[in-house]
Amino acid sequence: MEYRKLGSSGMYISELAYGNWVTHGEQIDQEAATACVRQALDLGITTFDTADAYAGTKAETALGEALKGVRREGLEIFTKVYFPTGEGKNDRGLSRKHVMESINGSLQRLQTDYVDLYQAHRYDYETPLEETMQAFADIVRAGKALYIGVSEWTVDEIRAGAKLAKELGIQLISNQPQYSMLWRVIEEEIVPVSEELGLGQICWSPMAQGVLTGKYVPGQPAPSASRFTTDDGALKTDHRYLGDDVLARVQQLKPLAEEAGLSMAALALAWVLQNANVSAAIVGASRPEQLVDNATAVGVKLEADLLTRIDAILEPVIERDPGKVESFLIRP
């Protein structure tokens, strides 16, 4: 494993971060979750990303159990707040009430006294930003979080958040966006501003929700137990990544992966890690051996010619529009 600084902070994180969205508490039980986490640790992954809303809070509980007994100082534990964790009107968003209650719930479920990074899972248009950032500042000063991050915020929102954080004397050091060979909307605006302000990217879906592994083939049924499988076993072709054109072009990447000596999954991860503003790519797993393969992407330097050929194959289906960051924002 190799390690990078998270933004302009002094904290190192592993280039691959283990994330448990849609796995812990949903797809796999505690025994399998613990096996995956222990494999991640064996591979040198020290960074673990979760959120209070994943699996209705069960994902945090599963991660806390899986990390029990591991030296806390050797880990970087990240979680998030915004999405609903209950039925009440105040069980969501970034109000001071929800943020302060959520950090306490997360720490209890994760069985830790603090998280290394506390992230605003989305921007809250119903709460003043000043209220949210003051709550984050108080959490940092209470020692319940070391750093603050955001996820899927626009450029203007990141600028405003960074300005307030600086005024409050805390460090806003990260953004968690979707980023992959197919989804590049952060490159034009988010990355330059993040470099300017000292934020690093912690990228989710670097394999485009599994599409870049090449396991979805045009005209063929989806693999069993796939997230894109319908009840009758067919492929959910209405997803933006599952059109025949996208899938056919992804299949054309297989010779390039073989040339690089990588699996398709590892090629996708290595591609994301070529971006100097990326601090980590988040990987999930339902089986330990998936992580072993993912780890082969670490430290790989993809040649410029290979990157050019990847672009030539995928260009017609790449999403670059910086306005598409809005696709992940929740407006009232």
Side-chain angles (χ1 to χ4, degrees), residues 129-141:
L129 181 59
E130 292 80 2
E131 177 180 339
T132 298
M133 296 306 293
Q134 183 63 65
F136 280 159
D138 290 345
I139 285 169
V140 170
R141 294 194 178 97

Side-chain angles (χ1 to χ4, degrees), residues 312-330:
I313 291 169
L314 296 180
E315 189 59 47
V317 295
I318 293 172
E319 182 57 72
R320 299 181 184 275
D321 180 4
K324 290 295 180 71
V325 171
E326 296 282 347
S327 300
F328 299 99
L329 298 176
I330 312 297

Side-chain angles (χ1 to χ4, degrees), residues 12-325:
Y12 283 96
I13 64 175
S14 51
E15 285 191 347
L16 296 184
Y18 181 87
N20 69 351
W21 175 48
V22 308
T23 52
H24 294 186
E26 292 188 37
Q27 292 181 342
I28 60 177
D29 61 17
Q30 185 62 55
E31 183 178 358
T34 298
C36 288
V37 167
R38 295 300 164 142
Q39 180 66 80
L41 291 165
D42 288 345
L43 292 166
I45 293 174
T46 57
T47 305
F48 295 85
D49 181 82
T50 187
D52 57 3
Y54 291 170
T57 73
K58 291 185 290 186
E60 284 186 328
T61 299
L63 182 59
E65 282 295 311
L67 289 173
K68 189 182 295 184
V70 180
R71 179 176 173 269
R72 179 64 183 87
E73 293 80 1
L75 302 172
E76 304 87 46
I77 299 175
F78 302 168
T79 193
K80 312 179 197 74
V81 56
Y82 173 85
F83 288 108
T85 53
E87 297 299 322
K89 291 290 289 183
N90 289 313
D91 291 329
R92 66 199 67 204
L94 297 178
S95 68
R96 180 178 181 85
K97 177 176 173 60
H98 184 55
V99 169
M100 301 304 277
E101 291 172 347
S102 290
I103 187 63
N104 292 332
S106 290
L107 296 180
Q108 183 178 18
R109 290 186 289 269
L110 290 165
Q111 301 184 48
T112 184
D113 294 330
Y114 68 97
V115 293
D116 298 272
L117 182 70
Y118 200 39
Q119 303 161 94
H121 211 160
R122 292 296 185 271
Y123 190 90
D124 185 352
Y125 296 97
E126 297 184 319
T127 299
L129 181 59
E130 292 80 2
E131 177 180 339
T132 298
M133 296 306 293
Q134 183 63 65
F136 280 159
D138 290 345
I139 285 169
V140 170
R141 294 194 178 97
K144 295 180 180 182
L146 304 185
Y147 303 96
I148 297 301
V150 300
S151 177
E152 298 294 352
W153 284 23
T154 66
V155 166
D156 289 343
E157 291 157 4
I158 288 173
R159 282 194 180 281
K163 181 175 183 292
L164 278 171
K166 186 174 182 180
E167 291 172 357
L168 291 165
I170 60 174
Q171 291 176 270
L172 177 61
I173 62 169
S174 67
N175 177 47
Q176 187 169 136
Q178 180 179 185
Y179 185 51
S180 71
M181 291 181 190
L182 293 171
W183 192 263
R184 308 190 191 184
V185 302
I186 66 170
E187 290 180 340
E188 184 177 331
E189 296 179 355
I190 297 292
V191 167
V193 167
S194 295
E195 290 174 338
E196 173 193 339
L197 298 175
L199 279 69
Q201 310 301 319
I202 307 164
C203 302
W204 64 273
S205 201
M207 290 178 269
Q209 295 177 270
V211 169
L212 287 170
T213 65
K215 65 182 179 181
Y216 300 102
V217 181
Q220 296 186 17
S224 60
S226 162
R227 75 177 69 187
F228 294 132
T229 305
T230 62
D231 292 339
D232 59 3
L235 191 64
K236 295 179 180 178
T237 54
D238 58 338
H239 192 279
R240 66 173 170 270
Y241 292 141
L242 297 181
D244 284 349
D245 191 23
V246 174
L247 297 182
R249 289 180 180 279
V250 169
Q251 292 299 310
Q252 294 176 46
L253 297 177
K254 286 186 175 179
L256 278 63
E258 292 173 3
E259 179 183 323
L262 298 168
S263 68
M264 288 280 283
L267 177 67
L269 290 168
W271 184 92
V272 167
L273 292 171
Q274 302 307 295
N275 190 317
N277 190 234
V278 169
S279 296
I282 300 173
V283 295
S286 56
R287 304 186 311 278
E289 57 267 25
Q290 293 171 315
L291 293 169
V292 176
D293 174 72
N294 293 166
T296 62
V298 172
V300 171
K301 175 65 176 177
L302 298 179
E303 298 296 331
D305 176 65
L306 181 62
L307 295 172
T308 298
R309 285 186 285 158
I310 289 171
D311 286 354
I313 291 169
L314 296 180
E315 189 59 47
V317 295
I318 293 172
E319 182 57 72
R320 299 181 184 275
D321 180 4
K324 290 295 180 71
V325 171

